[in-house]
Amino acid sequence: MMIKKLFSDLKKAIRDHERDFSERLFLISAIVAEIAITVALIGDIVMHENPIEIVAIGATIVVMPVVTLVGLYRNKLQVSIKMTIIPMVCLLLPVLFFFGGGVEGGGVLWVIAAFLYVGLLLSGGWRKTMLTLVVIMSVACYTVEYYHPELVVDHSRDLFYVDSLISLLLVGVVCFVVSWYQKDLFEDETERARKEAEKAEELTRSQNRFFSSMSHEIRTPINSILGLNELIMRDPGASDETVKDAAGIQGSGKMLLTLINDILDFSKIEAGSMDIVPVDYRIGDLLSDVVNMIWLRAHDKGLKFEVSVDPKTPTVLYGDEVRIKQIIINLLNNAVKYTAEGSVTLHVESEAVSDDAVLLQISVSDTGMGIKKEVIPYLFDAFKRVDEEKNRNIEGTGLGLSIVKQLVELMHGNVSVNSVYGEGTTFSVTLRQRVSDDTGIGELNIHNQTTVHRHTYECSFTAPDAKILIVDDNEMNLEVERKLLSDTKMRIDTVMSGREALELSLRNHYDAI
């Protein structure tokens, strides 16, 4: 019953995927070696080998399983491996050599098993040390026999052939079984790793589907909130206090929308569904839009916001204007967030690489807290917030820089960072862009001196003869959209489905849908 339990425990340990690879290999090699050494002992007794050799082999047969099982049950198999290999190299192999015929005995072949054990079961410094020890032991045995053959017990020719043949077969079987099992272990681990990778990929896909769905679901009510809030801000009868509170809601709502958009963009990139859509764009207009979006945030923090553009930069370039704008805004938002005082600077220049292409070089510098050198390699990791203790009060998902890096890579560009902790940071982005108009942009004076005052809303146009159709599956959104457009005097129809939209468009003429 006890023997059955021992074999059951050994089998369970060998199949335990959580156990160290070398430990599992040691257990199977210990079983095979025990069988091989027992056969060798029987052969030595039958051939009347030297009694000291027989005693050494017999002792090994008794001691080796004890050391193995004690290590198994005490969870100290790494110790058992060393306690098996060290006596084998320092004691058993020299005994087999000198009392088993030296170079004309079977003991020499067991040295091969020692090399195999050291290579497979040990690692690091132990492997190097024991390899050196096996080599020294082998050279020492050969040297001693060469100069002092009288120290080696002689073998007859018949005994040499029988002993070496048995040892050759046993060592060969041990090496074969151990290497065979090692191959099976590797294949098993590879298959497990493949399945785990598939699970991880499916988890990532599920996560991206969740993020995408969640982002869309959250954006719908946020847009309704922002729309209703806009109506409050337009109301001439609203008090200054109400307008001030509404402005706060607007700012917070837009920040929340930005975070949601970050998550949605990240899920698109991870799913491989983010497309780069190049168009002709005017670099001056792009930068004006960016400055108008960032200037107020910098102004509210008391930061100086500077923009400089190389006059030689081409006026019109061909690239994904939306994504380039997103990259610059993300970098500038980051700079403003992590800068308590001083300035944020946006610099743009270009370098011609061919007749119709330039390297657009964008850099964003700040005088903020800077980044520690050791965390720079992790700066672009998703959901990673560096220097958490210092930055715990700063809002964000930790996705901004990850999105920047992945968008830059999608456009085959390069992004780098240079920072001095406590003094400031500079992010540099390089993108290859086709030139549509190589006329230099000249001296640009891009700035925004808008001050925050309450202003009376005025509709920019009226069109009483125009008729439009609004299609939205959210009833609140339809109500908000209708009210936001009410001052235009346009005639407005609303429907909640594509089918209704088609039916109405067949019966009515709409100037816009």
Side-chain angles (χ1 to χ4, degrees):
M1 194 71 179
M2 184 179 290
I3 293 175
K4 187 177 180 181
K5 185 180 183 305
L6 287 176
F7 275 104
S8 175
D9 291 343
L10 281 169
K11 189 176 179 181
K12 183 179 177 182
I14 290 170
R15 290 181 175 179
D16 183 5
H17 295 291
E18 300 301 318
R19 190 175 290 278
D20 188 88
F21 183 83
S22 63
E23 294 179 359
R24 296 165 67 192
L25 201 57
F26 169 67
L27 290 174
I28 193 68
S29 64
I31 294 171
V32 176
E34 183 73 8
I35 296 170
I37 295 172
T38 301
V39 173
L41 177 64
I42 295 170
D44 281 0
I45 293 172
V46 170
M47 293 184 297
H48 304 292
E49 277 281 11
N50 187 281
I52 295 178
E53 181 181 349
I54 292 173
V55 170
I57 295 175
T60 302
I61 291 172
V62 173
V63 173
M64 189 166 71
V66 172
V67 171
T68 302
L69 292 173
V70 169
L72 174 63
Y73 287 118
R74 293 191 177 183
N75 202 24
K76 299 284 186 182
L77 275 177
Q78 290 296 332
V79 177
S80 296
I81 293 172
K82 297 175 181 66
M83 288 181 64
T84 300
I85 293 178
I86 293 172
M88 178 174 68
V89 174
C90 298
L91 188 62
L92 180 61
L93 290 178
V95 168
L96 293 180
F97 184 87
F98 287 107
F99 292 94
V103 295
E104 294 186 349
V108 173
L109 296 172
W110 286 96
V111 176
I112 298 170
F115 277 108
L116 180 71
Y117 271 44
V118 169
L120 289 178
L121 304 181
L122 296 177
S123 60
W126 273 97
R127 177 185 285 165
K128 295 174 184 175
T129 302
M130 291 310 301
L131 174 63
T132 304
L133 201 57
V134 174
V135 171
I136 291 172
M137 181 274 299
S138 303
V139 173
C141 288
Y142 269 70
T143 303
V144 169
E145 183 179 5
Y146 183 80
Y147 288 106
H148 299 281
E150 70 278 4
L151 296 178
V152 178
V153 175
D154 286 332
H155 262 179
S156 65
R157 187 170 183 274
D158 292 341
L159 190 58
F160 163 63
Y161 270 89
V162 174
D163 187 26
S164 61
L165 177 61
I166 292 174
S167 297
L168 176 67
L169 293 174
L170 292 178
V171 171
V173 167
V174 169
C175 293
F176 173 77
V177 172
V178 171
S179 59
W180 181 11
Y181 184 71
Q182 182 195 31
K183 182 175 179 291
D184 283 351
L185 274 184
F186 272 132
E187 289 177 349
D188 185 42
E189 290 299 318
T190 301
E191 180 63 19
R192 286 185 69 249
R194 186 185 65 78
K195 289 180 179 178
E196 289 297 323
E198 288 177 355
K199 285 181 184 178
E201 287 174 5
E202 179 56 35
L203 181 63
T204 299
R205 285 193 291 269
S206 299
Q207 174 183 283
N208 289 335
R209 284 195 295 269
F210 167 74
F211 279 155
S212 181
S213 173
M214 180 195 71
S215 301
H216 283 297
E217 292 300 319
I218 293 176
R219 281 203 299 183
T220 299
I222 289 176
N223 282 322
S224 296
I225 291 168
L226 292 176
L228 289 169
N229 195 66
E230 177 69 21
L231 291 173
I232 295 172
M233 295 178 71
R234 289 182 182 183
D235 183 4
S239 67
D240 289 345
E241 188 68 25
T242 301
V243 172
K244 180 181 176 183
D245 292 340
I249 292 172
Q250 200 80 351
S252 296
K254 287 181 177 178
M255 175 56 67
L256 183 55
L257 201 55
T258 299
L259 300 181
I260 295 300
N261 287 336
D262 276 352
I263 294 173
L264 186 59
D265 283 342
F266 179 75
S267 65
K268 280 183 180 179
I269 293 170
E270 288 291 292
S273 59
M274 176 68 78
D275 294 322
I276 298 301
V277 184
V279 295
D280 284 336
Y281 67 93
R282 303 183 72 84
I283 191 71
D285 293 344
L286 180 149
L287 293 175
S288 293
D289 289 346
V290 168
V291 171
N292 284 332
M293 294 181 69
I294 299 297
W295 183 87
L296 185 59
R297 293 195 66 201
H299 176 270
D300 288 345
K301 288 190 72 174
L303 301 176
K304 187 178 180 182
F305 183 26
E306 299 175 340
V307 180
S308 65
V309 183
D310 183 355
K312 297 176 184 176
T313 303
T315 304
V316 182
L317 298 175
Y318 182 78
D320 193 328
E321 179 185 12
V322 173
R323 297 305 169 191
I324 294 171
K325 192 183 297 183
Q326 184 177 1
I327 288 167
I328 299 173
I329 289 170
N330 274 357
L331 291 177
L332 286 171
N333 270 331
N334 231 47
V336 172
K337 270 198 300 187
Y338 293 99
T339 304
E341 58 182 19
S343 64
V344 171
T345 302
L346 169 63
H347 178 71
V348 178
E349 61 182 49
S350 65
E351 177 187 340
V353 290
S354 68
D355 291 341
D356 65 345
V358 294
L359 282 180
L360 186 64
Q361 297 166 340
I362 304 159
S363 67
V364 174
S365 305
D366 63 64
T367 58
M369 61 183 67
I371 304 163
K372 293 178 180 177
K373 187 180 291 185
E374 61 268 23
V375 302
I376 286 179
Y378 311 104
L379 201 58
F380 296 100
D381 291 353
F383 304 106
K384 183 75 174 179
R385 297 289 297 275
V386 299
D387 218 349
E388 286 277 12
E389 186 176 338
K390 212 170 184 181
N391 302 329
R392 63 184 180 275
N393 295 321
I394 295 177
E395 78 280 352
T397 57
L399 286 175
L401 289 179
S402 176
I403 291 171
V404 165
K405 181 174 173 59
Q406 295 187 73
L407 287 176
V408 169
E409 289 177 349
L410 278 173
M411 290 187 277
H412 308 292
N414 180 60
V415 58
S416 61
V417 57
N418 183 32
S419 183
V420 177
Y421 190 61
E423 295 184 18
T425 304
T426 298
F427 284 91
S428 301
V429 173
T430 304
L431 298 169
R432 185 186 177 98
Q433 302 283 281
R434 214 169 74 201
V435 177
S436 296
D437 182 351
D438 62 359
T439 306
I441 198 168
E443 294 292 338
L444 283 185
N445 184 22
I446 302 175
H447 62 282
N448 188 330
Q449 299 299 332
T450 305
T451 53
V452 186
H453 293 302
R454 177 175 181 179
H455 61 277
T456 303
Y457 169 75
E458 293 180 4
C459 185
S460 59
F461 74 95
T462 57
D465 295 328
K467 189 171 186 179
I468 68 168
L469 172 65
I470 302 176
V471 190
D472 198 312
D473 63 357
N474 184 282
E475 193 170 357
M476 178 62 73
N477 280 353
L478 287 175
E479 185 66 22
V480 170
E481 289 150 6
R482 180 193 288 276
K483 288 182 177 179
L484 286 172
L485 292 171
S486 61
D487 289 345
T488 64
K489 296 183 171 56
M490 292 188 295
R491 289 173 291 162
I492 301 170
D493 287 339
T494 60
V495 292
M496 294 185 64
S497 72
R499 180 182 294 277
E500 292 175 282
L502 288 173
E503 289 172 355
L504 274 184
S505 64
L506 287 172
R507 294 201 302 266
N508 302 303
H509 168 74
Y510 291 106
D511 296 290
I513 299 178

